[in-house]
Amino acid sequence: METTAINLLSDRVKNLSESATIAMARKSRELKAQGIDVISLSLGEPDFNTPDFIKQAAKEGIDQNYSKYMAVNGYEDLRMAISAKFKRDNNINYSKDQIVVSTGAKQSIANVVLSLINPGDEVIIPAPYWVSYEEIVKMAEGVPVGIETSIENDFKITPDQLKAAINTKTKLMIYSSPCNPSGSVYTKEELRGLADVLKSHPSIVVISDEIYEHINFTNSYFSMAAFDDMYNQVVTVNGVSKSFAMTGWRLGYIGAPNWIASACTKIQGQFTSGASSISQRAALAAVSEDPKVVIPMKNAFLERRNYMIKELRSISGFNINEPEGAFYLFPDVSAFFGKEFKGNKITNADELCLFLLEEAKVALVTGNAFGSPNCIRISYAASMEELKEAIGRIKNAISLLH
Ligand code: PMP
Ligand code: GLU
């Protein structure tokens, strides 16, 4: 009966992979519920609480009866505040009608992909990439086209690589900077090089995912849409989940050319009717505030990053670069492939993650899910105590490999 019922599912769902990050988090929760002491460094989620001024705004929103349906693309005052934020932080002019507020940046990205992709359209996704890009594109019956990078070039693509990946079927490119999972941040000059390639293909749209904008350890940040000659080709995605420790509030947004913003609103009008009213009141407080308020969180992430890099580099076999943003490390662990524990050979990153889960009780995510099979992703958005314990456990487990 069960098997028959599963066969009734659509091909769309059958072909969809479960989010690897969410799957690993689920596995850790299940093990913890069984009383097993697992440290989860699998999910990209700040361990901080949402700042008080944001919680206060949400409480006021409840008391002021923000409880009715609102415009599908979001409250007008929130869209005006996001418009001002784009001007303030990114030097991009988006009018309030070019902003669409959604239930998380994840939904923002899905809206854009569903708005643009017809079956067979190609979408360039430089690897390593965030797990959901590929699956969202597949859902829209598009064809993901990867571009490989490696730790030697800081996991960044070059203009020549981009040029080689473009053909007449290319419709979209999606990237994040700071990047999940590599932490790499594209400089203005590097983005200019990519823009020079893209501007000669004006029918290609670019999704610039800037959700880690404020978790950036370099002194500068540049958005692709701030280039005048790219403005009409770029959708800028952002949200409050990461910068303001608001993952559960489910609120993201885009700034986009009018025709794309309208299409996203049309989709959302049939799927969700928009983001939660209370989350929108909270987000209004968050985006209106001077981004300086999140500097203490950023500094805490930086301290943890430095600690983790130092410790991991002391373990032979972890080849690790210095991520400039987000809260992940993405070491190349191919040096461990071929090593054995109790007669079992570790042949890939999936098996190394499984070994570390079983022997060290530390949950990480395989690089395979991000399109880089030689790597693993370690989220350091955890307390220093947990990180110290995790490093000790990883060291012990690795010493068992030979
Ligand atoms: N983009 C990237 C690169 C991410 O890591 C995440 C993680 N959640 C998202 C988008 C989606 O964020 P949200 O919680 O706003 O849906
Ligand atoms: N984006 C985070 C991550 O990569 C949260 C989980 C998810 O949305 O996939 O771990």
Side-chain angles (χ1 to χ4, degrees), residues 144-220:
V145 175
I147 300 180
E148 262 187 48
T149 62
S150 68
I151 198 162
E152 286 73 36
N153 52 15
D154 213 13
F155 298 108
K156 291 177 182 174
I157 59 164
T158 63
D160 284 342
Q161 283 182 298
L162 177 58
K163 210 183 288 176
I166 293 175
N167 65 44
T168 51
K169 289 189 190 152
T170 311
K171 194 76 185 281
L172 188 62
M173 167 176 163
I174 314 180
Y175 74 96
S176 60
S177 176
C179 173
N180 176 4
S182 71
S184 300
V185 179
Y186 279 93
T187 63
K188 182 177 179 183
E189 292 67 35
E190 286 163 344
L191 288 176
R192 185 62 255 169
L194 302 180
D196 285 340
V197 176
L198 291 159
K199 76 172 181 191
S200 54
H201 299 275
S203 60
I204 298 178
V205 173
V206 179
I207 295 180
S208 171
D209 182 345
E210 307 187 358
I211 189 127
Y212 295 97
E213 174 191 9
H214 293 307
I215 308 170
N216 173 7
F217 313 128
T218 71
N219 289 328
S220 62

Side-chain angles (χ1 to χ4, degrees), residues 7 79 379:
N7 283 337
R79 285 182 290 113
S379 165

Side-chain angles (χ1 to χ4, degrees), residues 162-309:
L162 177 58
K163 210 183 288 176
I166 293 175
N167 65 44
T168 51
K169 289 189 190 152
T170 311
K171 194 76 185 281
L172 188 62
M173 167 176 163
I174 314 180
Y175 74 96
S176 60
S177 176
C179 173
N180 176 4
S182 71
S184 300
V185 179
Y186 279 93
T187 63
K188 182 177 179 183
E189 292 67 35
E190 286 163 344
L191 288 176
R192 185 62 255 169
L194 302 180
D196 285 340
V197 176
L198 291 159
K199 76 172 181 191
S200 54
H201 299 275
S203 60
I204 298 178
V205 173
V206 179
I207 295 180
S208 171
D209 182 345
E210 307 187 358
I211 189 127
Y212 295 97
E213 174 191 9
H214 293 307
I215 308 170
N216 173 7
F217 313 128
T218 71
N219 289 328
S220 62
Y221 188 71
F222 197 82
S223 300
M224 177 81 96
F227 290 129
D228 286 343
D229 59 354
M230 285 304 294
Y231 178 75
N232 289 322
Q233 266 178 271
V234 179
V235 176
T236 309
V237 173
N238 211 323
V240 294
S241 284
K242 313 291 172 170
S243 300
F244 296 97
M246 291 176 72
T247 45
W249 296 75
R250 310 306 307 129
L251 195 126
Y253 54 85
I254 57 165
N258 275 300
W259 61 283
I260 298 178
S262 304
C264 291
T265 303
K266 192 169 162 188
I267 289 180
Q268 194 158 289
Q270 296 290 13
F271 273 19
T272 64
S273 299
S276 145
S277 56
I278 304 308
S279 296
Q280 292 198 38
R281 301 324 289 166
L284 174 60
V287 299
S288 303
E289 191 61 50
D290 187 325
K292 279 194 189 126
V293 289
V294 297
I295 288 178
M297 283 196 268
K298 183 184 81 171
N299 288 342
F301 287 131
L302 180 60
E303 188 191 337
R304 298 169 195 187
R305 181 203 72 167
N306 292 343
Y307 167 76
M308 291 297 281
I309 291 178

Side-chain angles (χ1 to χ4, degrees), residues 19 21-22 42-44 106 130-131 180 212 242 328 377:
S19 161
T21 49
I22 289 179
S42 57
L43 198 62
K106 193 179 267 184
W130 179 46
V131 290
N180 176 4
Y212 295 97
K242 313 291 172 170
Y328 309 104
R377 191 188 77 170

